[in-house]
Amino acid sequence: PLVAISAMERAVEALTKMRNLKPTDGAIANDLRDMAGKLTILKGNYSNAESFRDSVDDAEQQKEIYDKDRLVTDADRFEELIVNAQKRYDENPTEQRAINELVDLLCRREAEAEENRAIGVLVNAYKQTEDYRFKSRAYDIRIKQKRRAERAARDAGDQEKHRKLKAESLQFELSVFKDRIKHYPTDLRYKYEYGRRLFETGRFDDAIPLLQEARADRKVRFQCSLWIGRCFFEKNYYSQAADTLREAIASYEMREDDLGKQLHYWLGRTY
């Protein structure tokens, strides 16, 4: 059961990140709600209660689990959940489940002070355990904060501030993915992410070999081809750009989605 709960928690965490990236996507919201409900049932484990007292304890735990997994929670109740999670963390400051539970709650409201507190928890866990996953998650929170500030400046019409924050975010993300590649040298998706950001800084010669290597990962193969083609385009190597983009288009099946349209667009620009 603990393995199943851990796997389900990771699924909920992944869906939560997707929802944060696409807050208006109803399908993701529905998947998150369904998965959170299944996790609640799994954690409840009423059938294992051996006495009335066990049942009462389970009921209290079930209520907390349910409230914690809800997307909208009363402010006072939410503070109580954070306090309880903090207590469990204080008792086991290096236990991954206790850390993730507290960090999840602290990041739920997208309040910078609470997110900074979550970063502190993760950094402390990394220092004590040397488990890079904690440091990597702290990076994710910082990236999210920087992008949020960037969007706020853009929406406010402050173009100068927006450009400055965008440049700062890009440099920070470059350092993050460079660090991740050092720790996970065989993870090709990190190389794709790093290569894409190298492109955005104009470092085309550095980006091309990373993106070519990352094409071996089927999940990002065509994205890599797009950015490789764009690197060749920016270097005025139009023949190589056209070959790369044509090859990708010939194998890509979903031609009407955004990536398919971009592949065709940049091939047209190349011609």
Side-chain angles (χ1 to χ4, degrees), residues 151-170:
R151 289 194 302 271
R154 180 198 62 199
D155 294 343
D158 191 335
Q159 296 182 0
E160 182 177 352
K161 184 177 181 181
H162 175 249
R163 284 194 296 269
K164 179 181 177 182
L165 290 174
K166 186 174 182 179
E168 290 176 356
S169 293
L170 181 56

Side-chain angles (χ1 to χ4, degrees), residues 96-248:
Q96 184 173 354
R97 185 173 175 182
I99 293 166
N100 288 338
E101 178 186 26
L102 179 57
V103 170
D104 286 344
L105 288 168
L106 290 173
C107 292
R108 179 79 61 82
R109 294 188 285 201
E110 296 189 346
E112 188 159 329
E114 291 178 346
E115 289 175 337
N116 289 338
R117 183 175 158 192
I119 290 172
V121 169
L122 291 165
V123 170
N124 183 63
Y126 172 66
K127 289 179 179 178
Q128 293 191 57
T129 65
E130 296 186 354
D131 187 334
Y132 186 75
R133 289 175 296 178
F134 295 127
K135 184 179 181 181
S136 186
R137 190 170 183 192
Y139 278 150
D140 286 336
I141 299 171
R142 288 293 294 139
I143 288 173
K144 183 179 176 182
Q145 288 179 327
K146 288 179 176 293
R147 290 181 179 176
R148 192 167 62 224
E150 180 188 328
R151 289 194 302 271
R154 180 198 62 199
D155 294 343
D158 191 335
Q159 296 182 0
E160 182 177 352
K161 184 177 181 181
H162 175 249
R163 284 194 296 269
K164 179 181 177 182
L165 290 174
K166 186 174 182 179
E168 290 176 356
S169 293
L170 181 56
Q171 290 302 319
F172 179 72
E173 291 179 28
L174 273 170
S175 66
V176 167
F177 284 101
K178 184 177 182 179
D179 191 46
R180 285 176 175 171
I181 289 173
K182 182 174 70 174
H183 284 83
Y184 302 114
T186 60
D187 193 320
L188 298 179
R189 274 170 285 183
Y190 286 150
K191 293 185 177 182
Y192 159 68
E193 295 291 350
Y194 187 45
R196 185 168 66 81
R197 286 160 178 81
L198 287 170
F199 170 89
E200 293 178 12
T201 59
R203 295 168 58 184
F204 309 121
D205 289 333
D206 294 328
I208 289 172
L210 279 169
L211 292 167
Q212 287 175 330
E213 184 179 354
R215 274 201 295 194
D217 188 325
R218 297 177 64 88
K219 292 183 178 180
V220 293
R221 175 181 300 172
F222 297 104
Q223 291 90 333
C224 288
S225 293
L226 171 65
W227 292 102
I228 292 169
R230 292 192 61 182
C231 284
F232 286 137
F233 178 91
E234 295 296 335
K235 289 171 63 65
N236 300 325
Y237 295 164
Y238 300 118
S239 177
Q240 293 94 322
D243 288 344
T244 300
L245 295 167
R246 277 199 306 267
E247 179 185 356

Side-chain angles (χ1 to χ4, degrees), residues 19-76:
R19 187 205 61 191
N20 291 336
L21 290 171
K22 298 182 177 181
T24 60
D25 192 314
I28 293 176
N30 289 336
D31 288 344
L32 175 57
R33 184 178 61 250
D34 292 343
M35 188 65 70
K38 292 176 182 178
L39 178 60
T40 298
I41 293 171
L42 190 61
K43 286 181 176 178
N45 199 19
Y46 282 115
S47 60
N48 289 339
E50 297 179 355
S51 67
F52 176 75
R53 182 168 183 173
D54 288 339
S55 298
V56 172
D57 290 341
D58 279 346
E60 289 298 322
Q61 292 173 12
Q62 183 79 355
K63 183 178 185 299
E64 179 163 337
I65 291 168
Y66 173 76
D67 287 341
K68 185 175 63 180
D69 289 337
R70 287 171 63 194
L71 299 183
V72 179
T73 304
D74 175 81
D76 291 338

